[in-house]
Amino acid sequence: MKTKSIFFIPPFLITLLLFTIQCSSSKSMERESAVSNRYDDFEGAKQSAGVTPSPKSESKPKETKSQPRMMVYTVVVNLQSKEVEPKVTEIIKLAESFGGFALQYSSQGTIQLKIPQENLKRFLLTLKKESHNYSEDVSAKDVTEDYLDTEIRLENAQKMRTRLLEILKSAKTLEETLKVEAELSKISESIERWEGKLKYLSSAVQLSTVTVHVRQKWEPVVQKDYKPGPLGYPFYYLYLGLGKVKDGIIWLFVQEIPKET
């Protein structure tokens, strides 16, 4: 009979094999952890340097609000009226009802008004409905860039004044103090100038200028037929008869002068 051979493995070999497998698995885990840590360090370095992060960590771009346009409107209106002075008074009252006011006006019919921009269109439509031979000329000027540029100049001047005030506190000699004070005086004048310009631009945008010229309306004179009263008929017919007699006398004594041949 054939007998099966059985291999016997000593216990110390099994222990050695298990220890080897455990060591190899722990080393592989350490390598993966090291790689992961290096990757995290690399990503952090990229973010600190301003490099665009990976798609997973991308954030939505911020939406920038567009600056509204700042427009200055100027309007010139021409119209006619039967009476000039009453029309001038009427137009001033109409402007006041829309929140405006008159800068100047004359009895000859010229009025300069300031109307809030949000009410300008409605004011012109109302004035057109209440006027004869109305015409208008509207012009607009965009001052957005000028306003923003003035704002930046004002902000820089204010920052410079703050720095000069700090320097003035640390000035040690009289010469340094005088120099800083001179620069402070110049920068203060610039700040006042920029602030005044901003106020002017804001006022020009908020209040539109409307100049109205009122002219006398010409109407043809209609001649009415003369109708005498009850006691006037004899004199009326006498007047007509004298006219006929005058024509007859002229016809009798005035002849055509013959032309020389």
Side-chain angles (χ1 to χ4, degrees), residues 5-27:
S5 61
I6 300 173
F7 296 94
F8 175 76
I9 300 176
F12 72 92
L13 290 178
I14 296 175
T15 303
L16 181 63
L17 180 62
L18 292 175
F19 179 77
T20 304
I21 294 172
Q22 185 177 1
C23 290
S24 61
S25 62
S26 62
K27 289 181 180 180

Side-chain angles (χ1 to χ4, degrees), residues 73-106:
Y73 290 96
T74 304
V75 185
V76 178
V77 175
N78 291 280
L79 56 89
Q80 290 184 345
S81 178
K82 294 180 181 180
E83 297 180 355
V84 175
E85 292 187 12
K87 188 63 177 179
V88 170
T89 305
E90 178 186 342
I91 293 173
I92 293 175
K93 290 182 179 179
L94 179 64
E96 292 175 350
S97 67
F98 282 93
F101 56 90
L103 285 179
Q104 61 181 9
Y105 61 92
S106 67

Side-chain angles (χ1 to χ4, degrees), residues 48-87:
S48 62
V51 180
T52 305
S54 58
K56 293 182 180 179
S57 61
E58 284 184 354
S59 59
K60 295 181 180 179
K62 297 182 179 179
E63 296 181 357
T64 57
K65 295 182 179 179
S66 60
Q67 173 70 25
R69 310 310 298 177
M70 303 181 68
M71 308 299 293
V72 177
Y73 290 96
T74 304
V75 185
V76 178
V77 175
N78 291 280
L79 56 89
Q80 290 184 345
S81 178
K82 294 180 181 180
E83 297 180 355
V84 175
E85 292 187 12
K87 188 63 177 179

